[in-house]
Amino acid sequence: MTNSEFSNELPDKPASDDGPLNETASDNEPTDKWASTLNFKGRLRARLQLIGGALASIAAIGAIAGGLVGYWTVWKTLRTDVFPDKQQTQREAAARPDIAPRLSLVVLPFANLNHDPEQDYFADGITTDLTTDLAQMPGAFVIGRGTAFTYKNKQIDFRTLGKDLGIRWAVQGAVRRNGDHVRANVSLTDIASGRDVWSDRFDGDRTNLAALQDEITARLARSLNIELIQAESRRSEVDRSRNPDAMDFTMRGWAKLYGPQSKIQNDQAKDLFDSALRLDPDNLEAMVGKAQCLATGANNRWSASVVEDKKQALDLVDRVLSKNPASASAHRTKGAILLFGHPEEAMAEYDAALEIDPNNPAVYAAKTITLIVTGRAREAFSPLQLALRLSPRDPLAHLWRYWLCHAHLHLHQYGESIEECRRSVNLNNLYFYAYVDLTSAYGATGQLEQAQQSLTELNKLRPDFTVQWYRDLGYSISSNPQFRREFDDIVDGLRKGGAREH
């Protein structure tokens, strides 16, 4: 999930209940496709062969073997007998943030040695892909991209980095592109000593960039003494675009999605993915990217036709999942499509994404809001704590803090709600939803002076805000009876806090 899935901007109108998303799926696909998509465990398990010992001792890290070129493993099976709890490492790290997991690392943004800002997207794309690859290694704890990129173009003090992020290792690199030739220098740093324990140079061709990335990931895995499960490549042959220009457009599209979001930015990203698909109609990464743009436009009401765009987005991710059921990004994007209107189905997609990539902080965060809108606010805190442990400096931390605030407010835990919303405001004082919840919490507890202060800030950011509009928005998001009962109390708090009714 990128910054684009939840914008700071307010939808022009609440979501409509008119969109028959269930009917859309059933009209276009066989009735058993849902079960088939989620239940890919059996098909994939048959394709995996265990290499003895999934994790070896890290003590011998200095003795680095060479080779292992030509393939990389994606861990593609759900809840296997080998690793019955894929998220155990993440849960333990969140419970004991003072103890760094032994395979804990961050991939710092690769330097662009071309010294051309227009080429940053290329180095950033390699960094992002490498983060995703390493995040799927068994037992790994990988800091999220959002936090990693806050260190871009900055001097790094490794001991401070390790303390701030609770990790043991850092991956660094630099990329130079000369025509179709790509050279990457990569190193693995022991944070405790600040010394490189491994470094290497990789040369490849832009027409086969995925193979270069596979080689880097596999060599890093060996340097960490991780025995791999030999299966398909990280990206199967069907995933890999053979058109370098299509790959280039795709990387540019993702760079747009990871940036600050707006309708214009989202439209530009979608145009880039469309350009990639015109050159290579079977480019799965471009399909996922376009689907995400469509979902973002629909969820933020930037779309001219919400129902049609959601149908198109759903078709795109289903095409991807039919070819690669183990695409975490496709499951994540499908969750975003289904979240508002079909949150229970969205939850299943987020769970599937985390089984494949248990280090994705944005998916844990998305589970939080999904639990709230399904009437399960009491369960919403744990996923968000995992997200914040994985990406403590994430650009969306203000949003995540707001969701914690919102969960507390649903449970009438007003003191905790106020505390989290204050944290959200401190991170981003332009996110007006935090002021909505502050006004409600203060109103519900009779702190009318503070309620008026929050309401004043809310009206500055959204002069047309009304209680009726907010109620309609909440009811359009979910029809869950428990959610609506809790939401009614939040609306009542707004009234007590002095918010305008109409």
Side-chain angles (χ1 to χ4, degrees):
M1 181 172 296
T2 69
N3 295 2
S4 66
E5 292 186 22
F6 298 96
S7 167
N8 287 347
E9 297 185 17
L10 181 68
D12 293 330
K13 57 183 178 180
S16 169
D17 289 325
D18 297 336
L21 222 51
N22 280 337
E23 295 176 17
T24 297
S26 62
D27 287 345
N28 293 330
E29 305 292 347
T31 56
D32 62 348
K33 182 170 182 180
W34 170 256
S36 171
T37 300
L38 285 181
N39 188 26
F40 54 87
K41 173 182 177 181
R43 297 198 306 274
L44 291 170
R45 179 180 291 175
R47 299 159 78 177
L48 299 175
Q49 295 179 347
L50 226 54
I51 293 180
L55 292 175
S57 169
I58 202 169
I61 192 165
I64 299 160
L68 192 59
V69 177
Y71 72 89
W72 165 240
T73 297
V74 176
W75 182 263
K76 289 186 174 182
T77 186
L78 291 182
R79 297 197 181 280
T80 67
D81 296 333
V82 182
F83 292 99
D85 183 359
K86 282 292 298 293
Q87 298 157 36
Q88 180 179 352
T89 301
Q90 289 69 31
R91 292 192 180 99
E92 290 175 352
R96 292 294 306 273
D98 55 318
I99 299 178
R102 64 173 186 156
L103 290 178
S104 53
L105 58 93
V106 62
V107 182
L108 295 169
F110 278 28
N112 169 22
L113 295 183
N114 290 88
H115 304 298
D116 177 4
E118 293 297 318
Q119 294 292 316
D120 273 1
Y121 76 91
F122 191 79
D124 290 352
I126 290 178
T127 307
T128 301
D129 283 348
L130 187 56
T131 301
T132 300
D133 298 343
L134 294 172
Q136 297 180 36
M137 291 193 306
F141 180 88
V142 181
I143 294 297
R145 179 196 186 278
T147 287
F149 270 72
T150 65
Y151 295 95
K152 185 173 181 178
N153 298 326
K154 295 180 180 178
Q155 282 291 116
I156 304 296
D157 179 277
F158 285 105
R159 291 187 178 179
T160 301
L161 180 78
K163 184 178 179 181
D164 289 348
L165 302 183
I167 56 173
R168 297 189 183 189
W169 310 97
V171 177
Q172 301 181 88
V175 178
R176 184 186 301 276
R177 178 174 159 182
N178 185 12
D180 283 343
H181 180 261
V182 178
R183 170 168 290 177
N185 298 301
V186 186
S187 64
L188 178 68
T189 302
D190 176 3
I191 283 178
S193 67
R195 296 178 179 176
D196 290 350
V197 297
W198 168 83
S199 63
D200 209 341
R201 185 179 72 191
F202 300 85
D203 289 285
D205 196 288
R206 187 172 70 100
T207 60
N208 199 9
L209 186 61
L212 177 67
Q213 293 167 340
D214 289 349
E215 182 179 357
I216 296 170
T217 305
R219 291 290 297 277
L220 277 166
R222 275 188 76 113
S223 73
L224 289 168
N225 275 347
I226 298 175
E227 298 264 358
L228 302 180
I229 290 178
Q230 186 173 353
E232 293 178 278
S233 172
R234 178 182 57 82
R235 294 181 185 85
S236 68
E237 287 303 313
V238 71
D239 290 352
R240 297 176 173 179
S241 175
R242 291 177 172 81
N243 187 311
D245 292 325
M247 291 173 59
D248 205 69
F249 279 122
T250 301
M251 294 176 80
R252 290 176 185 269
W254 283 108
K256 287 285 185 184
L257 280 183
Y258 282 119
Q261 279 305 298
S262 66
K263 182 180 185 302
I264 292 174
Q265 187 95 343
N266 194 65
D267 288 345
Q268 289 174 345
K270 179 177 172 294
D271 289 343
L272 288 163
F273 291 127
D274 278 332
S275 295
L277 290 169
R278 279 193 290 270
L279 294 172
D280 180 3
D282 296 321
N283 185 331
L284 300 192
E285 291 183 353
M287 289 185 199
V288 174
K290 181 177 179 179
Q292 190 162 300
C293 291
L294 290 167
T296 298
N299 288 342
N300 287 291
R301 294 307 178 265
W302 299 334
S303 168
S305 176
V306 170
V307 174
E308 188 57 39
D309 280 359
K310 283 194 171 186
K311 285 174 62 177
Q312 186 181 358
L314 199 61
D315 178 65
L316 284 167
V317 292
D318 282 343
R319 285 172 59 193
V320 173
L321 290 169
S322 70
K323 295 182 178 181
N324 181 10
S327 170
S329 61
H331 284 293
R332 180 191 67 208
T333 300
K334 190 168 183 176
I337 298 166
L338 297 170
L339 175 58
F340 298 129
H342 302 272
E344 294 285 358
E345 294 177 12
M347 181 66 75
E349 294 297 333
Y350 290 140
D351 284 339
L354 289 173
E355 289 294 342
I356 300 161
D357 177 4
N359 285 295
N360 193 314
V363 181
Y364 287 111
K367 283 190 66 173
T368 292
I369 192 62
T370 309
L371 287 164
I372 293 171
V373 301
T374 52
R376 299 160 60 189
R378 292 189 185 279
E379 304 170 45
F381 303 103
S382 178
L384 214 297
Q385 295 301 335
L386 287 169
L388 288 167
R389 176 66 178 89
L390 282 161
S391 192
R393 299 177 57 174
D394 201 277
L396 287 184
H398 71 280
L399 179 61
W400 300 352
R401 289 291 179 185
Y402 163 71
W403 286 345
L404 283 176
C405 160
H406 200 59
H408 283 300
L409 192 56
H410 271 261
L411 299 173
H412 297 174
Q413 297 169 352
Y414 296 113
E416 294 90 338
S417 177
I418 290 168
E419 181 180 353
E420 290 295 349
C421 267
R422 282 295 172 199
R423 289 177 175 174
S424 176
V425 168
N426 288 338
L427 291 168
N428 183 350
N429 62 8
L430 298 179
Y431 189 65
F432 79 91
Y433 281 108
Y435 295 109
V436 174
D437 279 22
L438 282 171
T439 302
S440 177
Y442 285 133
T445 54
Q447 301 178 69
L448 300 186
E449 182 178 349
Q450 292 91 330
Q452 279 300 309
Q453 291 172 357
S454 297
L455 186 59
T456 298
E457 296 301 320
L458 170 60
N459 287 332
K460 287 179 183 176
L461 295 170
R462 189 71 190 192
D464 57 348
F465 181 88
T466 66
V467 171
Q468 186 61 51
W469 176 88
Y470 188 66
R471 180 189 178 279
D472 291 346
L473 176 65
Y475 270 52
S476 72
I477 288 173
S478 175
S479 60
N480 179 275
Q482 179 65 26
F483 168 83
R484 287 189 171 183
R485 283 192 294 269
E486 295 166 358
F487 196 79
D488 284 342
D489 290 340
I490 296 174
V491 170
D492 188 54
L494 284 169
R495 293 190 180 102
K496 292 176 180 177
R500 189 170 70 253
E501 186 72 30
H502 299 289

